Amino acid sequence: MLDLALLRRDPERVRRAAARRPAGGAFVDEALALDAELRAARTTSERLKADKNALTAQISKAADRAAEAQRLKPQLAALDAEIAAAAASIPDLEHRIETILSEVPNLLDDSVPNGAGEEENVEVRNSGPPPAFSFPPKEHWELGEALGILDFERAAKLSGSRFAVLRGAGARLSRALVNFFLTRANELGYVEIDPPLLVSRKTMWSTGQLTKFADAMFLDADADLFMIPTSEVPLVALHRDEILDGATLPRRYTAYTPCFRKEAGAAGKDTRGLIRQHQFEKVELIWLADPERSFEALETLTANAESLLIELGLPYRVMSLSAGDVSFNAAKTYDLEVWLPGQDRYREISSCSNCTDFQARRSQIRFRRETGGKPEFVHTLNGSGLAVGRTLVAILENYQQRDGSVRVPDALVPFAGTDLIVRED
């Protein structure tokens, strides 16, 4: 949620930043007009209370208090009515302002490139040119089905479209990736969390999930609990309504969870394979950082996720998302895109974002720099380290052999227990 104080203090900055996003900055004038009404109502209320206090003091100083009270009674009654009328508008104005600001995306950092969408994303760096194959590379679903490790037909029988059954070496490779990712996160100092997969409406709202895009979430309406779309939600909300010791920042958490999303992509797009599914798995990386170091933390977080691709020997590039492609919560985002030779293109495998104080303001996650100091909002950051299914896709396509077998990356062999995936009958 945007800071109302910032909007009051520097509306032109907010207007300029908001104008870079598709929604634009039309909300600025509306919010400021309501805020002017709100402040006027509060001022009027306080002035009327002061007038009433002055009359009350006048009564207490009178020689004949009873007579003075009787004389001033009509004025006091009129002031009470005016105070009630002025105060009555305040909750509605506060609610209207909060509603507007809760639907406004985060302000973009100045370093975010201009652009209307992913076509204007800017490449920051890459791992070098993708390796060439001496044979036509196959797509992952063709490889997986031939090896007997991916079964989309039986998944459709169980659950419908956009689901998969991983079998044998496929299931073991997925588990190996999870263990590899969590082990590396632990070595980097992240605290592993095993959070609930169902969270409350308040938790979803406090992390910026319940906006106009809420229809992408799976909801148990009877319990009013949401299946998490990412473990970013429970990890960020761990410290909701808390004031942290600034000396303990940054706090870094990681979690492996399934994730659930209704809208897995545009209709007819990526209907085959593991790229867009209603249920998928990720290892998530979360930071709670102090404001001065959060953009430095974003570079470190991105490097942490990038190191996994380097160790797995997967060709990739790092993209700085343009203004029109940065998500609702984020002020700046880097996407890690892995090369898929079967598709002859790069695909996102991790998205690393600095959300500044946007989520913390909703969640009321604050810190004190010193004992007794004024509480300040932390900055929250998140990134995938990595998306498990997409990493499995990348391994199948990049490590496929001419005979249809798949070599396991050296770094993953100790976790997978094998260096080659062949058909299991």
Side-chain angles (χ1 to χ4, degrees), residues 51-249:
D51 290 345
K52 180 181 178 181
N53 290 338
L55 290 180
T56 303
Q58 183 176 329
I59 293 170
S60 66
K61 294 176 182 177
D64 187 342
R65 294 180 183 179
E68 186 69 359
Q70 186 62 30
R71 186 179 72 83
L72 294 176
K73 184 176 180 181
Q75 294 182 54
L76 288 169
L79 282 173
D80 283 337
E82 290 181 73
I83 290 170
S89 65
I90 292 175
D92 178 63
L93 288 167
E94 289 175 335
H95 175 73
R96 289 166 67 186
I97 293 170
E98 181 177 314
T99 298
I100 291 172
L101 296 184
S102 68
E103 292 295 333
V104 174
N106 200 354
L107 295 184
L108 296 172
D109 186 66
D110 290 342
S111 64
V112 172
N114 289 324
E118 61 180 313
E119 296 79 11
E120 287 79 34
N121 294 345
V122 175
E123 183 175 310
V124 177
R125 57 185 175 273
N126 63 63
S127 62
F133 280 74
S134 60
F135 58 90
K138 298 177 180 178
E139 299 200 58
H140 69 278
W141 61 78
E142 187 178 357
L143 290 161
E145 289 176 332
L147 288 168
I149 63 174
L150 295 179
D151 192 334
F152 297 102
E153 184 177 342
R154 287 190 172 89
K157 179 175 67 175
L158 294 172
S159 305
S161 62
R162 297 192 186 275
F163 290 92
V165 168
L166 274 62
R167 179 179 181 274
R172 293 194 297 273
L173 183 61
S174 179
R175 176 161 49 87
L177 285 168
V178 172
N179 288 334
F180 171 65
F181 294 156
L182 288 174
T183 297
R184 293 297 181 263
N186 178 264
E187 292 168 352
L188 289 168
Y190 289 82
V191 176
E192 185 175 348
I193 303 293
D194 184 6
L197 303 183
L198 292 168
V199 296
S200 68
R201 184 175 296 273
K202 182 176 181 180
T203 297
M204 290 286 283
W205 186 89
S206 70
T207 52
Q209 307 299 317
L210 291 187
T211 63
K212 58 186 176 182
F213 307 110
D215 56 357
M217 312 304 170
F218 284 99
L219 168 67
D220 181 336
D222 292 335
D224 200 30
L225 291 173
F226 290 82
M227 301 178 77
I228 61 170
T230 165
S231 57
E232 169 196 342
V233 173
L235 290 181
V236 168
L238 276 177
H239 293 292
R240 190 180 72 213
D241 300 323
E242 294 182 24
I243 300 176
L244 306 176
D245 180 353
T248 67
L249 299 178

Side-chain angles (χ1 to χ4, degrees), residues 125 294-304 332 334 381:
R125 57 185 175 273
S294 67
F295 282 98
E296 177 186 338
L298 176 61
E299 300 298 326
T300 302
L301 170 63
T302 304
N304 292 163
K332 182 176 183 178
Y334 292 119
L381 302 92

